[in-house]
Amino acid sequence: MQEPGPHMAVPGHNSEANSWDGGKHEADTAVEEAINLELENSSYLRGWRLHLASLSTCLCLFLVNSEVSVVGTALVSVVKDLDGIDQMGWVITGYLITYTSMIIIWAKLSDIFGRKYTAIATVLIFTAFSGACGAAQTMNQMIISRVFQGIGAAGCWSVPLTIGYEMVPKHRHPIQGAQFMTAGALGSLAGPLIGGSTSQSGQWRWAFLFCVPLGVATIILLQLALPASFPHQGDPQYQHPTWRERISRKSLSRLDVSGAFLLLGGTMLIVAVLLEGGLSIAWSSGPAIALFVVSGVMWIAFLGNEWFFTKHERTLEPIFPWRFMHNKPWMGTLIFSFLSGIPYNILIINVPQRYQDVAGTSPLTAAIRLIPFNIFISVTGFVVNGFIAKRGVACVWILLVGSLLQVGGLAWFCVLPEDGTIPLMIYGAQILTGLGIGAVMGITLLMPPLVVEKRDTAISSGALLQFRALGGVLGLSITTTAFNNYLKTHLFIFDSLSTSDMLKAVQSARDFSPEIQHQIITRLAEAYNLQMKILIGFSALQIFVIAMIWRKGNQIRVVDAEEEKAASSSASNASGTTIATEADRGAGKLG
């Protein structure tokens, strides 16, 4: 505490009585304001708890993003060792189905069972089945382990993001968001490098096993850092429930079981058909059409379920309350999250594959070539969250600039040569696109607390991430289908083969004669450029979605510079007056 100096007026030393009374009244008011401010901020973490909580949540995001991308460079070695080339697609599909389906469900569970224990449970599941993936002896074991790993990964994203919103006051959200962006980008950067290096040395199991010690450390940090009653630990009226109360009928009746079932089923079915359509399932086949129809029915039923339980307020708490549909800025944020997930997910797969298929580089070298993309996503997210948004720049302007940068970077990818060479200009395209994606992802990460009610903090963070994951899956399906169809219609030497057999033949292009090799490599380069043209369309759509977030009056800002300055000044004045009052009371006792 600052000691009162000669420059600080101490109430009680004024010679006029009326001044004394006025000063005493002002001091008492300031003391009350200071106490209210302290009570208001007491729910936030401070000191070592804050540092450990920040580290643990960032580790969660790092682990999930690394595992999403690690398989891309390790999968070939996994399939060869476990002798399961016919099932290789399900190593990725199984993970993505559960990961995409469970994000918002975990977020809602944290409302009922508490942030701390839900976060620990998700990390425990993720860590245990990461170890199971590393120990798998058959492809079936690997696929099952990946399915459960995806369940844990979904919660490792949504629950820590909610904790990040709640452990610091609003004016510190930009710094927290910058840390999250950096952790996520570093995970996406480390995944391909770890997968490439371990598979190249014949030690692919470490692509999964490295998560085990980091996961255990994360659980310990969460246990130490988060109070059991987080985020209500500063509320004197909050009664911390026992575990018996948490699993009581009254508590469980808050669960939107029907909504969770419909969301889980609808998402799993649509993700499965999108990822396997054209490969193990023909688009026009009966199973594919049935999956589309059933998924569509479940999505419609899910929306009806959420509308009914939101309109008829009961104990049950909807997973996606209908009030979201009437919140235009929030729906615009969700669409932005959906669209931004498309180029990101495609590029972290497209760029390394382009290097391996077209230039013939090793998996590790291909992963290294992706470094500029991930680095600039991280740097831009940090700058946008930590500096630009913190200075009160309107969110719509950041989204607009980020969308335009994305379009420019993807257009640059489209003009890459199709003769089998990859020039240095690809790094410029990576940097420009990374700048745009980093800006959009960084600001959308901070939007939920700005446009939704406080009671919806958890489910809004889950919805934001679930929309991003769904966008990534849809984009992957569309671009992969376009890629495969282009090769199928332009590589006439393989037109009699099925799609999966054609892709296997393309992977062995180096075994053909020079003429055939040149034809395959040229068509591959053209197909990769076609994917970039599709991505331009999705990124351009973001520019039109800005109209949903635009406001005629004051624009949405992460931090209002004037309000923050006034709040800081008020807190400082209140603190100073409190000290002066205490000094005055002490002087009175001495007198």
Side-chain angles (χ1 to χ4, degrees), residues 73 189 192-193 196 200 351-352 355 361-375 427 430:
T73 47
L189 173 64
L193 293 175
Q200 197 162 298
V351 174
Y355 271 105
T361 62
S362 67
L364 178 58
T365 303
I368 293 173
R369 298 288 194 271
L370 187 64
I371 288 177
F373 178 66
N374 283 303
I375 287 292
Y427 295 117
Q430 285 189 54

mmCIF file with all atom_site columns, all heavy atoms in Angstrom, residues 73 189 192-193 196 200 351-352 355 361-375 427 430:
data_model
loop_
_atom_site.group_PDB
_atom_site.id
_atom_site.type_symbol
_atom_site.label_atom_id
_atom_site.label_alt_id
_atom_site.label_comp_id
_atom_site.label_asym_id
_atom_site.label_entity_id
_atom_site.label_seq_id
_atom_site.pdbx_PDB_ins_code
_atom_site.Cartn_x
_atom_site.Cartn_y
_atom_site.Cartn_z
_atom_site.occupancy
_atom_site.B_iso_or_equiv
_atom_site.pdbx_formal_charge
_atom_site.auth_seq_id
_atom_site.auth_comp_id
_atom_site.auth_asym_id
_atom_site.auth_atom_id
_atom_site.pdbx_PDB_model_num
ATOM 1   N N   . THR A 1 73  ? 1.429  -36.163 -40.677 1.00 0.00 ? 73  THR A N   1
ATOM 2   C CA  . THR A 1 73  ? 2.779  -36.556 -41.092 1.00 0.00 ? 73  THR A CA  1
ATOM 3   C C   . THR A 1 73  ? 3.200  -37.913 -40.525 1.00 0.00 ? 73  THR A C   1
ATOM 4   O O   . THR A 1 73  ? 4.206  -38.465 -40.947 1.00 0.00 ? 73  THR A O   1
ATOM 5   C CB  . THR A 1 73  ? 3.803  -35.484 -40.658 1.00 0.00 ? 73  THR A CB  1
ATOM 6   O OG1 . THR A 1 73  ? 3.566  -35.140 -39.288 1.00 0.00 ? 73  THR A OG1 1
ATOM 7   C CG2 . THR A 1 73  ? 3.671  -34.243 -41.515 1.00 0.00 ? 73  THR A CG2 1
ATOM 8   N N   . LEU A 1 189 ? 1.928  -25.899 -35.073 1.00 0.00 ? 189 LEU A N   1
ATOM 9   C CA  . LEU A 1 189 ? 3.285  -25.908 -35.617 1.00 0.00 ? 189 LEU A CA  1
ATOM 10  C C   . LEU A 1 189 ? 4.042  -27.153 -35.166 1.00 0.00 ? 189 LEU A C   1
ATOM 11  O O   . LEU A 1 189 ? 4.730  -27.806 -35.957 1.00 0.00 ? 189 LEU A O   1
ATOM 12  C CB  . LEU A 1 189 ? 4.023  -24.647 -35.166 1.00 0.00 ? 189 LEU A CB  1
ATOM 13  C CG  . LEU A 1 189 ? 5.517  -24.546 -35.497 1.00 0.00 ? 189 LEU A CG  1
ATOM 14  C CD1 . LEU A 1 189 ? 5.725  -24.503 -36.999 1.00 0.00 ? 189 LEU A CD1 1
ATOM 15  C CD2 . LEU A 1 189 ? 6.123  -23.304 -34.843 1.00 0.00 ? 189 LEU A CD2 1
ATOM 16  N N   . PRO A 1 192 ? 2.901  -31.256 -36.832 1.00 0.00 ? 192 PRO A N   1
ATOM 17  C CA  . PRO A 1 192 ? 3.544  -31.837 -38.012 1.00 0.00 ? 192 PRO A CA  1
ATOM 18  C C   . PRO A 1 192 ? 5.031  -32.116 -37.816 1.00 0.00 ? 192 PRO A C   1
ATOM 19  O O   . PRO A 1 192 ? 5.559  -33.103 -38.351 1.00 0.00 ? 192 PRO A O   1
ATOM 20  C CB  . PRO A 1 192 ? 3.335  -30.757 -39.086 1.00 0.00 ? 192 PRO A CB  1
ATOM 21  C CG  . PRO A 1 192 ? 2.157  -29.977 -38.623 1.00 0.00 ? 192 PRO A CG  1
ATOM 22  C CD  . PRO A 1 192 ? 2.245  -29.972 -37.133 1.00 0.00 ? 192 PRO A CD  1
ATOM 23  N N   . LEU A 1 193 ? 5.724  -31.263 -37.051 1.00 0.00 ? 193 LEU A N   1
ATOM 24  C CA  . LEU A 1 193 ? 7.153  -31.473 -36.812 1.00 0.00 ? 193 LEU A CA  1
ATOM 25  C C   . LEU A 1 193 ? 7.381  -32.738 -35.986 1.00 0.00 ? 193 LEU A C   1
ATOM 26  O O   . LEU A 1 193 ? 8.270  -33.542 -36.293 1.00 0.00 ? 193 LEU A O   1
ATOM 27  C CB  . LEU A 1 193 ? 7.750  -30.267 -36.084 1.00 0.00 ? 193 LEU A CB  1
ATOM 28  C CG  . LEU A 1 193 ? 7.789  -28.951 -36.873 1.00 0.00 ? 193 LEU A CG  1
ATOM 29  C CD1 . LEU A 1 193 ? 8.283  -27.814 -35.990 1.00 0.00 ? 193 LEU A CD1 1
ATOM 30  C CD2 . LEU A 1 193 ? 8.699  -29.094 -38.094 1.00 0.00 ? 193 LEU A CD2 1
ATOM 31  N N   . GLY A 1 196 ? 6.380  -35.759 -38.195 1.00 0.00 ? 196 GLY A N   1
ATOM 32  C CA  . GLY A 1 196 ? 7.362  -36.008 -39.248 1.00 0.00 ? 196 GLY A CA  1
ATOM 33  C C   . GLY A 1 196 ? 8.658  -36.577 -38.713 1.00 0.00 ? 196 GLY A C   1
ATOM 34  O O   . GLY A 1 196 ? 9.214  -37.533 -39.273 1.00 0.00 ? 196 GLY A O   1
ATOM 35  N N   . GLN A 1 200 ? 9.832  -40.457 -39.331 1.00 0.00 ? 200 GLN A N   1
ATOM 36  C CA  . GLN A 1 200 ? 11.033 -40.575 -40.154 1.00 0.00 ? 200 GLN A CA  1
ATOM 37  C C   . GLN A 1 200 ? 12.079 -41.443 -39.465 1.00 0.00 ? 200 GLN A C   1
ATOM 38  O O   . GLN A 1 200 ? 12.869 -42.123 -40.132 1.00 0.00 ? 200 GLN A O   1
ATOM 39  C CB  . GLN A 1 200 ? 11.613 -39.181 -40.430 1.00 0.00 ? 200 GLN A CB  1
ATOM 40  C CG  . GLN A 1 200 ? 12.603 -39.138 -41.592 1.00 0.00 ? 200 GLN A CG  1
ATOM 41  C CD  . GLN A 1 200 ? 12.809 -37.724 -42.092 1.00 0.00 ? 200 GLN A CD  1
ATOM 42  O OE1 . GLN A 1 200 ? 11.880 -37.080 -42.555 1.00 0.00 ? 200 GLN A OE1 1
ATOM 43  N NE2 . GLN A 1 200 ? 14.023 -37.234 -41.981 1.00 0.00 ? 200 GLN A NE2 1
ATOM 44  N N   . VAL A 1 351 ? -0.516 -27.650 -47.550 1.00 0.00 ? 351 VAL A N   1
ATOM 45  C CA  . VAL A 1 351 ? 0.869  -27.219 -47.792 1.00 0.00 ? 351 VAL A CA  1
ATOM 46  C C   . VAL A 1 351 ? 1.865  -28.364 -47.610 1.00 0.00 ? 351 VAL A C   1
ATOM 47  O O   . VAL A 1 351 ? 2.691  -28.617 -48.501 1.00 0.00 ? 351 VAL A O   1
ATOM 48  C CB  . VAL A 1 351 ? 1.223  -26.007 -46.900 1.00 0.00 ? 351 VAL A CB  1
ATOM 49  C CG1 . VAL A 1 351 ? 2.704  -25.655 -47.039 1.00 0.00 ? 351 VAL A CG1 1
ATOM 50  C CG2 . VAL A 1 351 ? 0.371  -24.802 -47.282 1.00 0.00 ? 351 VAL A CG2 1
ATOM 51  N N   . PRO A 1 352 ? 1.842  -29.121 -46.479 1.00 0.00 ? 352 PRO A N   1
ATOM 52  C CA  . PRO A 1 352 ? 2.786  -30.243 -46.380 1.00 0.00 ? 352 PRO A CA  1
ATOM 53  C C   . PRO A 1 352 ? 2.574  -31.302 -47.458 1.00 0.00 ? 352 PRO A C   1
ATOM 54  O O   . PRO A 1 352 ? 3.545  -31.855 -47.987 1.00 0.00 ? 352 PRO A O   1
ATOM 55  C CB  . PRO A 1 352 ? 2.499  -30.823 -44.980 1.00 0.00 ? 352 PRO A CB  1
ATOM 56  C CG  . PRO A 1 352 ? 1.877  -29.706 -44.221 1.00 0.00 ? 352 PRO A CG  1
ATOM 57  C CD  . PRO A 1 352 ? 1.080  -28.945 -45.238 1.00 0.00 ? 352 PRO A CD  1
ATOM 58  N N   . TYR A 1 355 ? 4.092  -30.239 -50.783 1.00 0.00 ? 355 TYR A N   1
ATOM 59  C CA  . TYR A 1 355 ? 5.542  -30.434 -50.811 1.00 0.00 ? 355 TYR A CA  1
ATOM 60  C C   . TYR A 1 355 ? 5.916  -31.894 -51.014 1.00 0.00 ? 355 TYR A C   1
ATOM 61  O O   . TYR A 1 355 ? 6.845  -32.218 -51.766 1.00 0.00 ? 355 TYR A O   1
ATOM 62  C CB  . TYR A 1 355 ? 6.173  -29.912 -49.517 1.00 0.00 ? 355 TYR A CB  1
ATOM 63  C CG  . TYR A 1 355 ? 6.546  -28.458 -49.569 1.00 0.00 ? 355 TYR A CG  1
ATOM 64  C CD1 . TYR A 1 355 ? 5.790  -27.499 -48.913 1.00 0.00 ? 355 TYR A CD1 1
ATOM 65  C CD2 . TYR A 1 355 ? 7.656  -28.027 -50.298 1.00 0.00 ? 355 TYR A CD2 1
ATOM 66  C CE1 . TYR A 1 355 ? 6.122  -26.159 -48.963 1.00 0.00 ? 355 TYR A CE1 1
ATOM 67  C CE2 . TYR A 1 355 ? 8.003  -26.686 -50.351 1.00 0.00 ? 355 TYR A CE2 1
ATOM 68  C CZ  . TYR A 1 355 ? 7.237  -25.749 -49.683 1.00 0.00 ? 355 TYR A CZ  1
ATOM 69  O OH  . TYR A 1 355 ? 7.573  -24.425 -49.748 1.00 0.00 ? 355 TYR A OH  1
ATOM 70  N N   . THR A 1 361 ? 9.440  -34.016 -51.134 1.00 0.00 ? 361 THR A N   1
ATOM 71  C CA  . THR A 1 361 ? 10.191 -33.847 -49.886 1.00 0.00 ? 361 THR A CA  1
ATOM 72  C C   . THR A 1 361 ? 9.744  -34.873 -48.847 1.00 0.00 ? 361 THR A C   1
ATOM 73  O O   . THR A 1 361 ? 8.698  -35.506 -48.989 1.00 0.00 ? 361 THR A O   1
ATOM 74  C CB  . THR A 1 361 ? 9.997  -32.432 -49.313 1.00 0.00 ? 361 THR A CB  1
ATOM 75  O OG1 . THR A 1 361 ? 8.609  -32.244 -49.007 1.00 0.00 ? 361 THR A OG1 1
ATOM 76  C CG2 . THR A 1 361 ? 10.426 -31.373 -50.308 1.00 0.00 ? 361 THR A CG2 1
ATOM 77  N N   . SER A 1 362 ? 10.534 -35.015 -47.798 1.00 0.00 ? 362 SER A N   1
ATOM 78  C CA  . SER A 1 362 ? 10.189 -35.920 -46.702 1.00 0.00 ? 362 SER A CA  1
ATOM 79  C C   . SER A 1 362 ? 9.106  -35.291 -45.836 1.00 0.00 ? 362 SER A C   1
ATOM 80  O O   . SER A 1 362 ? 8.892  -34.071 -45.880 1.00 0.00 ? 362 SER A O   1
ATOM 81  C CB  . SER A 1 362 ? 11.430 -36.190 -45.839 1.00 0.00 ? 362 SER A CB  1
ATOM 82  O OG  . SER A 1 362 ? 11.820 -35.002 -45.161 1.00 0.00 ? 362 SER A OG  1
ATOM 83  N N   . PRO A 1 363 ? 8.394  -36.085 -45.013 1.00 0.00 ? 363 PRO A N   1
ATOM 84  C CA  . PRO A 1 363 ? 7.357  -35.522 -44.140 1.00 0.00 ? 363 PRO A CA  1
ATOM 85  C C   . PRO A 1 363 ? 7.886  -34.439 -43.202 1.00 0.00 ? 363 PRO A C   1
ATOM 86  O O   . PRO A 1 363 ? 7.221  -33.424 -42.984 1.00 0.00 ? 363 PRO A O   1
ATOM 87  C CB  . PRO A 1 363 ? 6.864  -36.739 -43.345 1.00 0.00 ? 363 PRO A CB  1
ATOM 88  C CG  . PRO A 1 363 ? 7.141  -37.896 -44.234 1.00 0.00 ? 363 PRO A CG  1
ATOM 89  C CD  . PRO A 1 363 ? 8.409  -37.563 -44.950 1.00 0.00 ? 363 PRO A CD  1
ATOM 90  N N   . LEU A 1 364 ? 9.091  -34.647 -42.646 1.00 0.00 ? 364 LEU A N   1
ATOM 91  C CA  . LEU A 1 364 ? 9.656  -33.654 -41.728 1.00 0.00 ? 364 LEU A CA  1
ATOM 92  C C   . LEU A 1 364 ? 9.976  -32.361 -42.457 1.00 0.00 ? 364 LEU A C   1
ATOM 93  O O   . LEU A 1 364 ? 9.669  -31.260 -41.972 1.00 0.00 ? 364 LEU A O   1
ATOM 94  C CB  . LEU A 1 364 ? 10.915 -34.202 -41.055 1.00 0.00 ? 364 LEU A CB  1
ATOM 95  C CG  . LEU A 1 364 ? 11.632 -33.240 -40.103 1.00 0.00 ? 364 LEU A CG  1
ATOM 96  C CD1 . LEU A 1 364 ? 10.696 -32.791 -38.989 1.00 0.00 ? 364 LEU A CD1 1
ATOM 97  C CD2 . LEU A 1 364 ? 12.881 -33.897 -39.522 1.00 0.00 ? 364 LEU A CD2 1
ATOM 98  N N   . THR A 1 365 ? 10.579 -32.470 -43.629 1.00 0.00 ? 365 THR A N   1
ATOM 99  C CA  . THR A 1 365 ? 10.895 -31.269 -44.416 1.00 0.00 ? 365 THR A CA  1
ATOM 100 C C   . THR A 1 365 ? 9.620  -30.527 -44.802 1.00 0.00 ? 365 THR A C   1
ATOM 101 O O   . THR A 1 365 ? 9.568  -29.296 -44.759 1.00 0.00 ? 365 THR A O   1
ATOM 102 C CB  . THR A 1 365 ? 11.679 -31.653 -45.687 1.00 0.00 ? 365 THR A CB  1
ATOM 103 O OG1 . THR A 1 365 ? 12.860 -32.365 -45.314 1.00 0.00 ? 365 THR A OG1 1
ATOM 104 C CG2 . THR A 1 365 ? 12.076 -30.412 -46.474 1.00 0.00 ? 365 THR A CG2 1
ATOM 105 N N   . ALA A 1 366 ? 8.593  -31.286 -45.160 1.00 0.00 ? 366 ALA A N   1
ATOM 106 C CA  . ALA A 1 366 ? 7.311  -30.663 -45.521 1.00 0.00 ? 366 ALA A CA  1
ATOM 107 C C   . ALA A 1 366 ? 6.725  -29.919 -44.332 1.00 0.00 ? 366 ALA A C   1
ATOM 108 O O   . ALA A 1 366 ? 6.165  -28.824 -44.485 1.00 0.00 ? 366 ALA A O   1
ATOM 109 C CB  . ALA A 1 366 ? 6.335  -31.726 -46.018 1.00 0.00 ? 366 ALA A CB  1
ATOM 110 N N   . ALA A 1 367 ? 6.836  -30.497 -43.137 1.00 0.00 ? 367 ALA A N   1
ATOM 111 C CA  . ALA A 1 367 ? 6.326  -29.835 -41.938 1.00 0.00 ? 367 ALA A CA  1
ATOM 112 C C   . ALA A 1 367 ? 7.094  -28.549 -41.650 1.00 0.00 ? 367 ALA A C   1
ATOM 113 O O   . ALA A 1 367 ? 6.517  -27.533 -41.238 1.00 0.00 ? 367 ALA A O   1
ATOM 114 C CB  . ALA A 1 367 ? 6.419  -30.776 -40.744 1.00 0.00 ? 367 ALA A CB  1
ATOM 115 N N   . ILE A 1 368 ? 8.401  -28.573 -41.865 1.00 0.00 ? 368 ILE A N   1
ATOM 116 C CA  . ILE A 1 368 ? 9.223  -27.371 -41.646 1.00 0.00 ? 368 ILE A CA  1
ATOM 117 C C   . ILE A 1 368 ? 8.796  -26.255 -42.592 1.00 0.00 ? 368 ILE A C   1
ATOM 118 O O   . ILE A 1 368 ? 8.784  -25.076 -42.225 1.00 0.00 ? 368 ILE A O   1
ATOM 119 C CB  . ILE A 1 368 ? 10.720 -27.713 -41.831 1.00 0.00 ? 368 ILE A CB  1
ATOM 120 C CG1 . ILE A 1 368 ? 11.176 -28.659 -40.706 1.00 0.00 ? 368 ILE A CG1 1
ATOM 121 C CG2 . ILE A 1 368 ? 11.575 -26.446 -41.856 1.00 0.00 ? 368 ILE A CG2 1
ATOM 122 C CD1 . ILE A 1 368 ? 12.580 -29.194 -40.888 1.00 0.00 ? 368 ILE A CD1 1
ATOM 123 N N   . ARG A 1 369 ? 8.409  -26.617 -43.808 1.00 0.00 ? 369 ARG A N   1
ATOM 124 C CA  . ARG A 1 369 ? 7.988  -25.614 -44.794 1.00 0.00 ? 369 ARG A CA  1
ATOM 125 C C   . ARG A 1 369 ? 6.698  -24.896 -44.383 1.00 0.00 ? 369 ARG A C   1
ATOM 126 O O   . ARG A 1 369 ? 6.355  -23.864 -44.935 1.00 0.00 ? 369 ARG A O   1
ATOM 127 C CB  . ARG A 1 369 ? 7.767  -26.282 -46.158 1.00 0.00 ? 369 ARG A CB  1
ATOM 128 C CG  . ARG A 1 369 ? 9.006  -26.931 -46.766 1.00 0.00 ? 369 ARG A CG  1
ATOM 129 C CD  . ARG A 1 369 ? 9.996  -25.888 -47.262 1.00 0.00 ? 369 ARG A CD  1
ATOM 130 N NE  . ARG A 1 369 ? 11.014 -26.462 -48.113 1.00 0.00 ? 369 ARG A NE  1
ATOM 131 C CZ  . ARG A 1 369 ? 12.175 -26.962 -47.694 1.00 0.00 ? 369 ARG A CZ  1
ATOM 132 N NH1 . ARG A 1 369 ? 12.451 -26.948 -46.400 1.00 0.00 ? 369 ARG A NH1 1
ATOM 133 N NH2 . ARG A 1 369 ? 13.050 -27.465 -48.541 1.00 0.00 ? 369 ARG A NH2 1
ATOM 134 N N   . LEU A 1 370 ? 5.974  -25.468 -43.418 1.00 0.00 ? 370 LEU A N   1
ATOM 135 C CA  . LEU A 1 370 ? 4.714  -24.868 -42.960 1.00 0.00 ? 370 LEU A CA  1
ATOM 136 C C   . LEU A 1 370 ? 4.933  -23.861 -41.826 1.00 0.00 ? 370 LEU A C   1
ATOM 137 O O   . LEU A 1 370 ? 3.997  -23.166 -41.422 1.00 0.00 ? 370 LEU A O   1
ATOM 138 C CB  . LEU A 1 370 ? 3.759  -25.977 -42.501 1.00 0.00 ? 370 LEU A CB  1
ATOM 139 C CG  . LEU A 1 370 ? 2.319  -25.606 -42.140 1.00 0.00 ? 370 LEU A CG  1
ATOM 140 C CD1 . LEU A 1 370 ? 1.572  -25.067 -43.363 1.00 0.00 ? 370 LEU A CD1 1
ATOM 141 C CD2 . LEU A 1 370 ? 1.579  -26.812 -41.571 1.00 0.00 ? 370 LEU A CD2 1
ATOM 142 N N   . ILE A 1 371 ? 6.142  -23.754 -41.335 1.00 0.00 ? 371 ILE A N   1
ATOM 143 C CA  . ILE A 1 371 ? 6.418  -22.903 -40.173 1.00 0.00 ? 371 ILE A CA  1
ATOM 144 C C   . ILE A 1 371 ? 5.961  -21.453 -40.369 1.00 0.00 ? 371 ILE A C   1
ATOM 145 O O   . ILE A 1 371 ? 5.337  -20.874 -39.467 1.00 0.00 ? 371 ILE A O   1
ATOM 146 C CB  . ILE A 1 371 ? 7.914  -22.972 -39.800 1.00 0.00 ? 371 ILE A CB  1
ATOM 147 C CG1 . ILE A 1 371 ? 8.229  -24.331 -39.176 1.00 0.00 ? 371 ILE A CG1 1
ATOM 148 C CG2 . ILE A 1 371 ? 8.300  -21.846 -38.850 1.00 0.00 ? 371 ILE A CG2 1
ATOM 149 C CD1 . ILE A 1 371 ? 9.688  -24.541 -38.822 1.00 0.00 ? 371 ILE A CD1 1
ATOM 150 N N   . PRO A 1 372 ? 6.239  -20.788 -41.510 1.00 0.00 ? 372 PRO A N   1
ATOM 151 C CA  . PRO A 1 372 ? 5.811  -19.381 -41.647 1.00 0.00 ? 372 PRO A CA  1
ATOM 152 C C   . PRO A 1 372 ? 4.318  -19.179 -41.444 1.00 0.00 ? 372 PRO A C   1
ATOM 153 O O   . PRO A 1 372 ? 3.898  -18.193 -40.836 1.00 0.00 ? 372 PRO A O   1
ATOM 154 C CB  . PRO A 1 372 ? 6.224  -19.026 -43.083 1.00 0.00 ? 372 PRO A CB  1
ATOM 155 C CG  . PRO A 1 372 ? 7.335  -19.960 -43.394 1.00 0.00 ? 372 PRO A CG  1
ATOM 156 C CD  . PRO A 1 372 ? 7.000  -21.234 -42.695 1.00 0.00 ? 372 PRO A CD  1
ATOM 157 N N   . PHE A 1 373 ? 3.511  -20.109 -41.930 1.00 0.00 ? 373 PHE A N   1
ATOM 158 C CA  . PHE A 1 373 ? 2.053  -19.994 -41.799 1.00 0.00 ? 373 PHE A CA  1
ATOM 159 C C   . PHE A 1 373 ? 1.640  -19.959 -40.335 1.00 0.00 ? 373 PHE A C   1
ATOM 160 O O   . PHE A 1 373 ? 0.928  -19.052 -39.885 1.00 0.00 ? 373 PHE A O   1
ATOM 161 C CB  . PHE A 1 373 ? 1.402  -21.168 -42.532 1.00 0.00 ? 373 PHE A CB  1
ATOM 162 C CG  . PHE A 1 373 ? -0.097 -21.207 -42.430 1.00 0.00 ? 373 PHE A CG  1
ATOM 163 C CD1 . PHE A 1 373 ? -0.879 -20.225 -43.006 1.00 0.00 ? 373 PHE A CD1 1
ATOM 164 C CD2 . PHE A 1 373 ? -0.732 -22.237 -41.749 1.00 0.00 ? 373 PHE A CD2 1
ATOM 165 C CE1 . PHE A 1 373 ? -2.269 -20.260 -42.915 1.00 0.00 ? 373 PHE A CE1 1
ATOM 166 C CE2 . PHE A 1 373 ? -2.106 -22.291 -41.654 1.00 0.00 ? 373 PHE A CE2 1
ATOM 167 C CZ  . PHE A 1 373 ? -2.872 -21.304 -42.238 1.00 0.00 ? 373 PHE A CZ  1
ATOM 168 N N   . ASN A 1 374 ? 2.102  -20.935 -39.557 1.00 0.00 ? 374 ASN A N   1
ATOM 169 C CA  . ASN A 1 374 ? 1.710  -21.007 -38.149 1.00 0.00 ? 374 ASN A CA  1
ATOM 170 C C   . ASN A 1 374 ? 2.330  -19.895 -37.317 1.00 0.00 ? 374 ASN A C   1
ATOM 171 O O   . ASN A 1 374 ? 1.696  -19.376 -36.391 1.00 0.00 ? 374 ASN A O   1
ATOM 172 C CB  . ASN A 1 374 ? 2.103  -22.372 -37.573 1.00 0.00 ? 374 ASN A CB  1
ATOM 173 C CG  . ASN A 1 374 ? 1.153  -23.476 -37.985 1.00 0.00 ? 374 ASN A CG  1
ATOM 174 O OD1 . ASN A 1 374 ? -0.038 -23.404 -37.747 1.00 0.00 ? 374 ASN A OD1 1
ATOM 175 N ND2 . ASN A 1 374 ? 1.680  -24.499 -38.638 1.00 0.00 ? 374 ASN A ND2 1
ATOM 176 N N   . ILE A 1 375 ? 3.551  -19.522 -37.630 1.00 0.00 ? 375 ILE A N   1
ATOM 177 C CA  . ILE A 1 375 ? 4.203  -18.448 -36.880 1.00 0.00 ? 375 ILE A CA  1
ATOM 178 C C   . ILE A 1 375 ? 3.432  -17.144 -37.037 1.00 0.00 ? 375 ILE A C   1
ATOM 179 O O   . ILE A 1 375 ? 3.188  -16.422 -36.056 1.00 0.00 ? 375 ILE A O   1
ATOM 180 C CB  . ILE A 1 375 ? 5.660  -18.258 -37.355 1.00 0.00 ? 375 ILE A CB  1
ATOM 181 C CG1 . ILE A 1 375 ? 6.532  -19.416 -36.858 1.00 0.00 ? 375 ILE A CG1 1
ATOM 182 C CG2 . ILE A 1 375 ? 6.220  -16.923 -36.871 1.00 0.00 ? 375 ILE A CG2 1
ATOM 183 C CD1 . ILE A 1 375 ? 6.734  -19.443 -35.359 1.00 0.00 ? 375 ILE A CD1 1
ATOM 184 N N   . TYR A 1 427 ? 6.054  -18.899 -49.577 1.00 0.00 ? 427 TYR A N   1
ATOM 185 C CA  . TYR A 1 427 ? 6.194  -18.381 -48.213 1.00 0.00 ? 427 TYR A CA  1
ATOM 186 C C   . TYR A 1 427 ? 5.452  -17.055 -48.062 1.00 0.00 ? 427 TYR A C   1
ATOM 187 O O   . TYR A 1 427 ? 4.878  -16.767 -47.014 1.00 0.00 ? 427 TYR A O   1
ATOM 188 C CB  . TYR A 1 427 ? 7.664  -18.223 -47.850 1.00 0.00 ? 427 TYR A CB  1
ATOM 189 C CG  . TYR A 1 427 ? 8.421  -19.530 -47.785 1.00 0.00 ? 427 TYR A CG  1
ATOM 190 C CD1 . TYR A 1 427 ? 9.473  -19.802 -48.654 1.00 0.00 ? 427 TYR A CD1 1
ATOM 191 C CD2 . TYR A 1 427 ? 8.052  -20.506 -46.861 1.00 0.00 ? 427 TYR A CD2 1
ATOM 192 C CE1 . TYR A 1 427 ? 10.158 -21.004 -48.608 1.00 0.00 ? 427 TYR A CE1 1
ATOM 193 C CE2 . TYR A 1 427 ? 8.733  -21.720 -46.812 1.00 0.00 ? 427 TYR A CE2 1
ATOM 194 C CZ  . TYR A 1 427 ? 9.780  -21.967 -47.682 1.00 0.00 ? 427 TYR A CZ  1
ATOM 195 O OH  . TYR A 1 427 ? 10.453 -23.169 -47.634 1.00 0.00 ? 427 TYR A OH  1
ATOM 196 N N   . GLN A 1 430 ? 1.879  -17.938 -47.660 1.00 0.00 ? 430 GLN A N   1
ATOM 197 C CA  . GLN A 1 430 ? 1.646  -18.437 -46.302 1.00 0.00 ? 430 GLN A CA  1
ATOM 198 C C   . GLN A 1 430 ? 1.567  -17.298 -45.297 1.00 0.00 ? 430 GLN A C   1
ATOM 199 O O   . GLN A 1 430 ? 0.684  -17.266 -44.430 1.00 0.00 ? 430 GLN A O   1
ATOM 200 C CB  . GLN A 1 430 ? 2.779  -19.380 -45.884 1.00 0.00 ? 430 GLN A CB  1
ATOM 201 C CG  . GLN A 1 430 ? 2.747  -20.752 -46.507 1.00 0.00 ? 430 GLN A CG  1
ATOM 202 C CD  . GLN A 1 430 ? 3.771  -21.680 -45.878 1.00 0.00 ? 430 GLN A CD  1
ATOM 203 O OE1 . GLN A 1 430 ? 3.795  -21.859 -44.660 1.00 0.00 ? 430 GLN A OE1 1
ATOM 204 N NE2 . GLN A 1 430 ? 4.622  -22.274 -46.685 1.00 0.00 ? 430 GLN A NE2 1
#
